[in-house]
């Protein structure tokens, strides 16, 4: 069984957030909701100053606090390591959101769905079609585009990334591009001190 | 909820179709997923397209939201409120297409019959030149063209002279040292942002290409570069001249290239013209025999690049020596006082650049051995949008000339606008062994005339593209310019001049108000559509056909656009709209004639449009496809027609010709214009900025540096990858990311500058230039040159009839000059930086408290709680 | 990194401190009512004060349930919350509430009607029932604190002091309500001085816990420092100082200490304590911030 993970190449990322919109397109996310965000951080003092762009998404932690906090069993981990939320089981208690140290959970707000992306209280055909997937009130998050992965495709954000800064792959396969990059460029997980064992690594 | 259907959009049942993105003027290949119910639910990059390689930038990803934008124009409309002005609701009334065409044609015809010059077109779709050229059908050279006002004026002619191409780019495939000066190329803007950032990222990471960004701000390019060199705005030419100084004085020069492939050895007389013999042959100096010979004398042993000679009794020097003389006064130390770039940095960069260029190295590509020069100086809008724009362009090219990388693998390469047909070469031989200069990349410019035939004075910019901002100068003082007609009809399509133009909105509003009739074809409400009398709504890019490929840096071919859905509303293609008008105006035959010429259809006579009929967007696209490779539109539906650029077209296509290191034509153009102005007693000829014409770049200061000292900072704006100008604002997905990015949410200052001005982040201010003012909120970040005040295009929109477009505090462009003093007399390129001062306010002025502002959105995002306004 | 440099970034795309946006006022209400009810039950239980226990169960059973349901995204499915007691404090807490209510009611019935002896079950059963009820009440008083302390995300919360503060605050609130109810009810189950003395002691403990909480959060991490600053000098300064500290701790302590035996003063003190307690509940949520993303400078 594969163990899926993602590598972010910070040298490549240009902070364009095409990934964010790619994800919003793929997953019909309502306004202000994100499964991935690319953050920026400026550091140093003029003229020795620089900025780094840091893509973030659910880390599909092996020791996932969200899963532990979930009282309903809605949050679970697939055999291939993808941390999922079963919308049919989720009660919208938000415990997972409080537990996730990476702030990667969002609630499907009924009003957000009905206001629509243009705030007109009318939905575009895109939204009409896409919002059917959501159960209002439940919490949701990035699922590594599990359906695409099942179909043998890369996640949507990976595919669109103009700089190929997102590398998706099987971390158990030492020959995968992701594993190789983690090995050769000393990949670091986010906030390792929390011991959540993320399956997301940063190389810089 | 046991739905077996996939929930991810790209996996739903439906079909994928091949098409082309149009969220900016470029043309990345796309694949569009349409559900069985006909809903467009996913757009991805076309992985078969070697240009964007399956990638899309954020704008490309956001096309669906433009398609389904409920604010779109849904049918033709006419204005019922006769009062026009900012905030004045046009009170649109839906009308039929017949009526819309009738009114429009009737109103246009009134002026057309009186004087075609009374018609002011602004037709801007870069992906549809067939619409762009429409006014030529009635011989009109007037224009209010918003595109290119601040960018291409000098850039395209300069590339036309030097590469015989429209644009230029560094060769990401082989380059190892990339200087980016005032451009987001490869990171955020300029050419095919999605495609180019992929090429450049691969070069950076896979090949270790070093990047150096010269910019007043820590742009994305600067942040990703190995080195950011902050520079005072509007001084880039001086930085480049400093580099040239070091290179020339330290012999960091590819002399072989200059001797063999350029006119640098050609002898220039004291008057600046080449010294010619009786047969009009230009002299060079053979330093072995120590005498002058015609350039093509087979006995020449070694061409002198330096020295001072007398030939046929005339004092003369090789062009290279002339440049060296100019550089004498351009030491890095001297330039530092202008640019603030430490002289040591300039010296180091010059040396690194030369070293990386590996002069002498060669590469064999397709059996052809060529110089390999893996270092290149790239630049665009920010660096060259200057009063002395042509000289700026020339100076940057000089850095490239000196290492012999022009059109060389790894170097700085000409990029054509649109290749049109497979075996077309964009270069041709000119006189005296030189390549034919081709400054008019967009077609002919109007011939000289006095009184002028154009309201923007294009009659006097024989080298340029167009200076539409001068419309305002002339409008304010028509007598001064001897104008004998008053434009009274505007025909606008795919253009937002009221956003794009520099100069105070107030004055542009007066100009708009002076029009008898304004027709606008657009898809969504903009600043400009607010002024329309009739709206002719067009299909959007997911509803129409097209065939083009715009400024592709590394590829050639054609990108086909096809409808993903039936039109959502009662709209038409631009082709239908302009054919509809042409028919009613009786200019159909002329229009088709213009198209045959401008679209290159003449080259395949079987494709030529017949005089008396109209063509659909699909038919035009089909012809352009056939023109490229003889394949019809159906072939394009199944095939990606984009390939990597063939090396013979891409690398040194001018092999055997000499490039224009020294642009003698500047002097011809100047003197011819002068002569004509004298002949016609043009009253403002003495005010004309004749010094701007120079065959070599000089260190003359741009006038922006001579503004009154109280304007102690330099105001500058910038594009970014999320934004197409300011246009993509209002797209909810774009808004969702833009207002979360600290770069786009405040007027930016270096914190030390802010402190010196007594300002803190969050302060409300008024910013004033000598020409206009804006309001805004201050933000601070270390990544700013202390002399700069930066304003993102995200802060430039006005209150319009589109709920999703938040306004900020006025428009940066209000502060830009729009006069001749700040216009390049060679090309019409205006200055795009202004000097400003900042005044702290206690609160927003009244008018800015109403409506949704950018700052409201930003506050919502940053405050605790769920936030987010809808 | 110095604290001045810490950026509060809201939901913008910057590295920095992000506000916790998920547990809001309705959740604070639920926590408050749950803890207060259980605290009242527990203190009353110590005095065998049935009216107090019943009131406590009503507060928990009705108000906490109501506010929880309003917070819940899919209230109809909230029963599912009970499914993972093996790992989720929410599940444990929910089970504890059920136990607390069931055994609490049983205990009260038993106290009133002496059912154990009446049904011949022996006093051991009654004893077990009351112990279970009391223990469940203790869990209800603390589990929310445990749920919060298990959030690695939010430094202000990620400490054993969280359940401790839940415990001490709910005991304080419970004691305050018991004091009032005892005074109002004919049962006179407890000694007034003893209760006010206890309350004074609890207030002191609350204050100590609060100080430790802030101190440790401030030391623990960047997010913790920001939380502390938000409360002490930032946007929540006034509410925190005046409501939580002033009204919740200092004022009642002074009233109870300086005006012993004065019912009006005690009433005022009780209101102030509860207001301060409520303020604490709300502000601890509001000042909760996520740690900033690892920096990759
Ligand atoms: N994403 C995106 N791509 C685009 C467009 C778009 O709107 N968005 N527009 C297209 C068009 S028409 C054009 S013209 C090109 C323009 O493409 P660019 O030239 O890349 O665009 P700009 O952002 O206008 O200018 C480039 C940089 O110049 C900087 N700058 C401003 N003043 C100065 C200065 O005085 N000196 C220096 N060194 N830098 C300065 C700005 O900070 C900015 O980062 O992009 C094209 N492609
Ligand atoms: N402050 C500031 N000013 C600038 C610039 C800047 O960066 N900052 N950039 C300058 C530059 S380099 C340029 S080139 C100009 C550009 O100026 P413009 O060419 O005016 O650019 P846009 O604002 O993009 O206007 C394009 C218009 O086309 C419409 N449109 C989009 N798609 C379609 C379509 O399919 N059909 C039709 N009919 N209409 C469509 C859009 O709604 C928009 O109104 O602005 C210049 N002015
Ligand atoms: S799309 Fe790629 S380059 Fe752009 S922000 Fe996302 S990860 Fe970075
Ligand atoms: S990142 Fe957060 S949501 Fe994702 S698995 Fe880890 S704890 Fe859960
Ligand atoms: S909100 Fe849903 S997924 Fe999250 S913890 Fe509660 S039940 Fe589990
Ligand atoms: S993997 Fe899929 S769901 Fe996750 S962020 Fe990327 S596009 Fe969104
Ligand atoms: S660069 Fe332009 S054409 Fe390419 S994806 Fe972005 S918006 Fe579309
Ligand atoms: Mo432009």
């Amino acid at each position: 069984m594969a163990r899926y993970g993602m590598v972010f190449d910070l040298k490549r990322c240009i902070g364009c957030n095409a990934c964010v919109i790619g994800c919003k397109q793929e997953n019909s996310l309502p306004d202000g909701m994100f499964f991935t965000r690319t953050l920026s951080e400026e550091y140093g003092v003029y003229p020795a100053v620089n900025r780094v762009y840091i893509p973030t998404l659910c880390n599909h932690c092996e020791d996932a606090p969200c899963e532990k906090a979930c009282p309903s069993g809605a949050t679970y981990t697939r055999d291939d390591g993808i941390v999922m939320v079963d919308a049919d089981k989720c009660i919208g208690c938000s415990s997972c959101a409080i537990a996730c140290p990476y702030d990667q959970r969002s609630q499907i707000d009924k009003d957000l769905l009905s206001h629509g992306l243009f705030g007109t209280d009318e939905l575009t055909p895109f939204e009409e079609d896409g919002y059917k997937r959501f159960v209002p009130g439940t919490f949701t998050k990035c699922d590594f585009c599990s359906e695409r992965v099942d179909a043998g495709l890369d996640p949507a954000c990976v595919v669109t990334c103009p700089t190929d800064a997102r590398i998706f792959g099987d971390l158990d396969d030492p020959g995968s591009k992701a594993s190789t990059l983690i090995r050769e460029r000393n990949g670091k997980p986010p906030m390792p001190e929390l011991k959540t064992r993320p399956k997301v690594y940063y190389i810089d | 909820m046991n739905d077996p259907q996939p929930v991810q959009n790209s996996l739903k049942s439906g079909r994928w179709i091949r098409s082309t993105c149009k969220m900016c003027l470029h043309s990345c290949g796309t694949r569009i997923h349409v559900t069985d119910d006909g809903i467009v639910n996913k757009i991805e990059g076309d992985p078969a397209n070697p240009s964007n390689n399956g990638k899309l930038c954020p704008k490309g990803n956001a096309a669906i939201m433009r398609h389904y934008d409920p604010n779109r124009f849904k049918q033709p409309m006419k204005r019922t409120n006769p009062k026009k002005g900012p905030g004045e609701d046009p009170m649109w009334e839906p009308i039929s297409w017949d009526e819309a065409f009738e009114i429009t044609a009737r109103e246009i015809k009134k002026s057309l019959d009186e004087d075609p010059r009374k018609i002011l077109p602004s037709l801007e779709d870069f992906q549809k030149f067939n619409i762009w050229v429409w006014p030529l059908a009635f011989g009109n050279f007037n224009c209010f063209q918003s595109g290119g006002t601040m960018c291409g004026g000098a850039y395209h002619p300069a590339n036309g002279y030097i590469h015989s191409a429209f644009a230029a780019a560094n060769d990401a495939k082989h380059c190892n040292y990339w200087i980016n000066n005032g451009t987001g190329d490869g990171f955020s803007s300029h050419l095919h942002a999605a495609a180019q950032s992929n090429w450049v990222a691969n070069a950076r990471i896979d090949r270790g290409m070093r990047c150096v960004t010269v910019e007043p701000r820590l742009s994305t390019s600067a942040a990703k570069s190995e080195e950011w060199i902050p520079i005072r705005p509007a001084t880039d030419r001086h930085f480049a001249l400093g580099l040239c100084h070091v290179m020339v004085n330290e012999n960091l020069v590819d002399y072989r290239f200059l001797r063999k492939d350029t006119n640098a050895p050609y002898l220039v007389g004291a008057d600046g013209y080449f010294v010619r013999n009786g047969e009009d042959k230009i002299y060079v100096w053979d330093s072995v025999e120590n005498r002058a010979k015609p350039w093509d004398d087979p006995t020449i042993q070694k061409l002198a690049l330096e020295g001072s000679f007398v030939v046929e009794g005339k004092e003369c020097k090789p062009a290279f020596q002339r440049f060296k003389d100019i550089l004498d006064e351009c030491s890095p130390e001297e330039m530092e006082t202008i640019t603030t770039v430490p002289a040591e940095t300039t010296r180091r960069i010059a040396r690194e650049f030369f070293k990386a260029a590996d002069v002498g190295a060669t590469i064999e590509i397709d059996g052809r051995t060529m110089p390999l020069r893996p270092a290149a100086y790239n630049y665009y809008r920010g660096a060259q949008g200057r009063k002395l724009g042509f000289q700026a362009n020339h100076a940057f090219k000089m850095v490239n000339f000196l290492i012999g990388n022009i059109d060389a693998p790894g170097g700085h390469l000409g990029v054509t606008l649109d290749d049109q047909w497979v075996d077309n070469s964009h270069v041709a031989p000119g006189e005296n062994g030189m390549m034919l200069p081709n400054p008019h990349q967009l077609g002919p410019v109007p011939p000289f005339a006095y009184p002028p035939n154009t309201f923007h004075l294009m009659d006097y910019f024989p080298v340029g593209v167009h200076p539409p901002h001068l419309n305002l100068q002339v409008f304010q003082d028509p007598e001064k310019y001897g104008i004998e007609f008053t434009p009274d009809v505007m025909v606008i399509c795919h253009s937002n001049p009221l956003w794009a133009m520099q100069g105070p909105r107030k004055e542009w509003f007066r100009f708009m108000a002076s029009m008898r009739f304004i027709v606008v074809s657009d898809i969504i409400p903009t600043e400009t559509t607010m002024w329309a009398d009739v709206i002719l709504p067009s299909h959007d890019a997911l509803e129409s056909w097209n065939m083009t490929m715009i400024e592709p840096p590394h590829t050639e071919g054609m990108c086909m656009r096809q409808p993903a859905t039936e039109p959502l509303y009662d709209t038409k293609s631009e082709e239908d709209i302009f054919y509809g008008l042409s028919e009613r105006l009786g200019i159909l035959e002329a229009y088709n004639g213009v198209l045959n010429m401008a679209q290159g259809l003449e080259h395949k006579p079987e494709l030529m449009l017949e005089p008396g009929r109209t063509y659909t967007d699909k038919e035009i696209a089909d012809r352009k496809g056939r023109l490229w490779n003889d394949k019809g539109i159906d072939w394009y539906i199944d095939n990606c027609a984009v390939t990597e650029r063939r090396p013979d077209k891409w690398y040194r296509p001018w092999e055997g010709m000499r490039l224009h290191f020294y642009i003698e034509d500047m002097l011809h153009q100047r003197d011819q214009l002068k002569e004509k102005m004298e002949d016609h007693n043009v009253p403002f000829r003495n005010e004309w900025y004749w010094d701007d014409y120079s065959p070599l770049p000089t260190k003359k200061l741009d006038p922006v540096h001579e503004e009154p000292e109280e304007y102690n900072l330099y105001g500058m704006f910038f594009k970014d990858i999320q934004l197409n100008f300011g246009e993509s604002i209002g797209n909810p997905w774009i808004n969702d990311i833009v207002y979360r990015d600290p770069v786009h949410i405040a007027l930016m200052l270096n914190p030390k500058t802010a402190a010196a001005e007594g300002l803190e982040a969050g302060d409300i201010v008024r910013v004033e230039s000598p020409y206009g003012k804006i309001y805004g909120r201050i933000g601070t970040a270390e990544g700013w040159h202390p002399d700069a005040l930066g304003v993102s295009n995200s802060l430039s929109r006005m209150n319009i009839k589109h709920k999703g477009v938040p306004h900020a505090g006025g428009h940066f462009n209000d502060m830009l000059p729009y006069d001749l003093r700040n216009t390049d007399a060679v090309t019409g390129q205006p200055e795009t930086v202004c000097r400003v001062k900042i005044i702290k306010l206690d609160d927003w002025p009244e008018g800015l408290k109403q409506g949704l502002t950018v700052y409201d959105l930003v506050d919502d995002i940053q405050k605790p709680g769920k936030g987010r306004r809808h | 990194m110095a604290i001045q440099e810490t950026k509060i970034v809201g939901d913008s795309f910057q590295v920095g401190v992000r506000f916790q946006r998920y547990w809001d006022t309705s959740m604070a209400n639920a926590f408050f009512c749950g803890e207060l009810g259980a605290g009242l039950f527990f203190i009353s239980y110590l005095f065998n004060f049935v009216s107090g226990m019943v009131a406590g169960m009503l507060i928990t059973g009705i108000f906490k349930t109501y506010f929880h349901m309003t917070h819940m995204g899919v209230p109809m499915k909230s029963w599912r919350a009970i499914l993972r007691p093996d790992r989720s404090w929410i599940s444990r807490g929910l089970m504890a509430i059920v136990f607390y209510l069931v055994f609490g009611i049983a205990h009260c019935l038993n106290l009133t009607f002496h059912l154990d002896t009446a049904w011949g079950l022996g006093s051991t059963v009654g004893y077990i029932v009351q112990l279970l009820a009391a223990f469940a009440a203790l869990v209800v008083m603390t589990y929310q604190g445990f749920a919060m302390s298990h959030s690695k995300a939010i430094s202000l919360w990620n400490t054993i002091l969280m359940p401790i503060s839940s415990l001490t605050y709910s005991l304080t609130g419970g004691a305050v309500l018991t004091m009032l109810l005892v005074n109002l009810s004919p049962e006179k189950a407890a000694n007034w001085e003893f209760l006010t003395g206890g309350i004074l002691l609890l207030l002191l403990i609350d204050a100590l816990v609060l100080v430790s909480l802030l101190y440790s959060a401030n030391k623990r991490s960047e997010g913790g420092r920001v939380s502390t600053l938000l409360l002490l000098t930032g946007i929540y300064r006034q509410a925190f100082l005046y409501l939580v500290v002033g009204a919740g701790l200092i004022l009642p302590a002074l009233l109870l200490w300086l005006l012993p035996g004065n019912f009006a003063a005690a009433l005022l003190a009780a209101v102030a304590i509860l207001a301060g307690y409520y303020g604490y509940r709300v502000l601890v949520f509001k000042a909760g911030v996520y740690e900033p993303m690892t920096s990759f400078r």
Side-chain angles (χ1 to χ4, degrees), chain B residues 710-731:
Chain B
E710 59 179 300
Y711 300 98
N712 57 339
L713 296 171
Y714 291 78
M716 54 177 276
F717 64 79
F718 53 92
K719 299 183 167 58
D720 215 333
I721 194 159
Q722 304 89 340
L723 300 168
N724 186 40
F725 312 107
E727 174 212 75
S728 23
I729 286 172
N731 182 309

Side-chain angles (χ1 to χ4, degrees), chain A residues 12-19 38 55 161-163 165-166:
Chain A
R12 286 180 178 266
C13 176
I14 54 174
C16 67
N17 281 309
C19 46
T38 300
C161 172
T163 62
R166 301 179 158 231

Side-chain angles (χ1 to χ4, degrees), chain A residues 10 13 24-26 51 164, chain B residues 9-10 55 218 224 736:
Chain A
L10 299 179
C13 176
K24 291 180 81 97
Q25 278 208 75
E26 180 74 38
R51 188 184 308 116
D164 287 316
Chain B
N9 285 331
S10 60
K55 311 298 177 188
L218 184 72
K224 300 317 286 185
D736 229 1

